[in-house]
C-alpha cells in the first residue's frame, strides 16, 4: 500500500537505513517518510533533519539567521550536559560509575568520589598494608601482607637529609569543598622534603557564586 502525504521537499529514501552513531536513534524525518539518524545536542537541524526527542531536544532557531537551519538544544532553553554519550538535564544527579557521583549544573558537571581515599599507615599488627580491588565490591579495601622484615621502614626514623631516592606517592585531589566560590581540595602525599605522608590542601573554585540580591531598604 502506498500512501501520499504532503511534504516541503521531494522524498527519496535509501534502500538501506543509515547506520547511526552511538547514542543517536533511528527516527522518521520531518515528513514522516524516511528513516534518518536523530540529531544530537549541538548538531545542526532543520525541518527534515529532526532532533532526538527522546532526550528532550528540539530544533532551536533562536540564534540562526532567517531561512537557515537551527541547532539541537534542550526544550525551553534548559541547559544540560553530555557524559559518555548520554545527556543529563540541568540539576540531575547521576553516577557514571559506582566510584563517583556527578551533578549536572549550568551546562557542566561536578563529581565527587564515593570511595574513601583514606591512608593506612604501617602498624605492628599490619606492617605492610596494601589496597586491592575486591571481587564483587566497588571500592578497593586495605589488606595486610607479610613481607620480609628488612623491607620495613619506620617513618619516624627517616633523616631530614634523605640519602636514598624517595618514591613519590599520593592520592588524587578530592573534589572542591564548595560548589561555587572559593573552596579547597585535599590529598595525601609524600612529596615533601622528608618523604613523609601528610595531608595537603590547595584552593579551588568550580565557578563564581551568583550575586546576592540587594536588600530592601527598611
Amino acid at each position: 500500500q502506498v500512501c501520499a502525504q504532503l511534504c516541503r521537499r521531494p522524498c527519496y529514501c535509501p534502500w538501506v537505513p543509515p547506520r547511526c552513531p552511538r547514542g543517536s536513534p533511528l527516527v522518521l524525518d520531518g515528513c514522516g517518510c524516511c528513516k534518518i539518524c536523530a540529531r544530537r545536542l549541538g548538531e545542526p537541524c532543520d525541518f527534515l533533519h529532526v532532533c532526538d526527542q527522546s532526550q528532550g531536544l528540539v530544533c532551536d532557531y533562536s540564534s540562526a539567521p532567517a531561512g537557515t537551519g537551527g541547532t539541537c538544544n534542550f526544550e525551553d532553553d534548559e541547559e544540560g550536559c553530555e557524559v559518555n554519550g548520554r545527556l543529563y538535564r540541568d540539576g540531575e544527579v547521576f553516577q557514571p560509575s559506582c566510584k563517583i557521583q556527578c551533578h549536572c549544573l549550568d551546562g557542566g558537571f561536578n563529581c565527587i568520589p564515593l570511595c574513601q581515599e583514606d591512608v593506612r599507615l604501617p602498624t605492628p599488627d599490619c606492617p605492610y598494608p596494601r589496597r586491592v580491588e575486591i571481587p564483587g565490591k566497588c571500592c578497593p579495601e586495605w589488606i595486610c601482607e607479610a613481607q620480609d622484615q628488612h623491607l620495613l621502614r619506620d617513618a619516624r626514623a627517616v633523616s631530614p637529609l634523605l640519602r636514598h631516592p624517595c618514591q613519590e606517592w599520593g592520592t588524587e585531589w578530592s573534589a572542591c569543598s564548595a560548589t561555587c566560590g572559593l573552596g579547597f581540595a585535599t590529598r595525601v602525599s609524600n612529596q615533601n622534603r622528608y618523604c613523609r605522608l601528610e595531608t595537603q590542601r590547595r584552593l579551588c573554585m568550580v565557578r563564581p557564586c551568583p550575586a546576592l540580591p540587594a536588600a530592601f531598604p527598611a
Side-chain angles (χ1 to χ4, degrees):
Q1 183 179 2
V2 178
C3 297
Q5 56 189 7
L6 297 177
C7 190
R8 300 179 189 177
R9 302 178 182 178
C11 186
Y12 302 103
C13 302
W15 286 103
V16 180
R19 297 185 62 180
C20 300
R22 187 174 182 180
S24 178
L26 200 64
V27 297
L28 287 175
D29 60 14
C31 290
C33 178
C34 304
K35 289 280 190 177
I36 62 170
C37 298
R39 298 296 173 93
R40 295 175 293 182
L41 180 66
E43 293 182 343
C45 58
D46 53 27
F47 168 77
L48 203 61
H49 300 90
V50 296
C51 302
D52 186 2
Q53 296 182 357
S54 66
Q55 296 289 344
L57 298 178
V58 295
C59 197
D60 183 11
Y61 295 91
S62 59
S63 59
T68 61
T71 304
C72 289
N73 203 350
F74 284 104
E75 196 171 3
D76 297 330
D77 294 329
E78 183 180 356
E79 292 185 349
C81 51
E82 182 177 359
V83 181
N84 295 332
R86 273 196 69 182
L87 297 174
Y88 299 93
R89 294 184 178 274
D90 188 63
E92 186 175 354
V93 177
F94 59 97
Q95 288 184 221
S97 74
C98 62
K99 295 182 179 182
I100 58 174
Q101 177 176 290
C102 301
H103 182 204
C104 183
L105 189 64
D106 295 338
F109 57 93
N110 302 322
C111 299
I112 58 173
L114 298 178
C115 297
Q116 293 184 355
E117 296 186 355
D118 57 330
V119 174
R120 182 166 181 174
L121 298 176
T123 57
D125 60 328
C126 185
Y128 303 101
R130 189 166 67 93
R131 205 172 191 184
V132 297
E133 298 285 345
I134 305 296
K137 293 187 177 182
C138 176
C139 299
E141 296 183 0
W142 289 99
I143 64 171
C144 297
E145 284 190 344
Q147 298 184 7
D148 295 336
Q149 287 295 322
H150 71 273
L151 295 177
L152 179 61
R153 293 189 303 175
D154 187 358
R156 293 170 299 180
V158 176
S159 171
L161 298 177
L162 297 176
R163 299 177 181 176
H164 55 83
C166 174
Q167 184 176 0
E168 293 186 350
W169 181 90
T171 62
E172 297 291 334
W173 286 103
S174 68
C176 197
S177 61
T179 56
C180 73
L182 210 58
F184 61 86
T186 60
R187 73 171 180 177
V188 176
S189 173
N190 67 345
Q191 297 177 25
N192 53 65
R193 60 179 299 187
Y194 301 111
C195 194
R196 295 178 182 173
L197 289 175
E198 65 178 5
T199 301
Q200 300 172 345
R201 294 187 179 187
R202 71 177 181 184
L203 293 176
C204 57
M205 185 173 69
V206 178
R207 61 185 177 89
C209 288
L212 295 175
F216 292 100

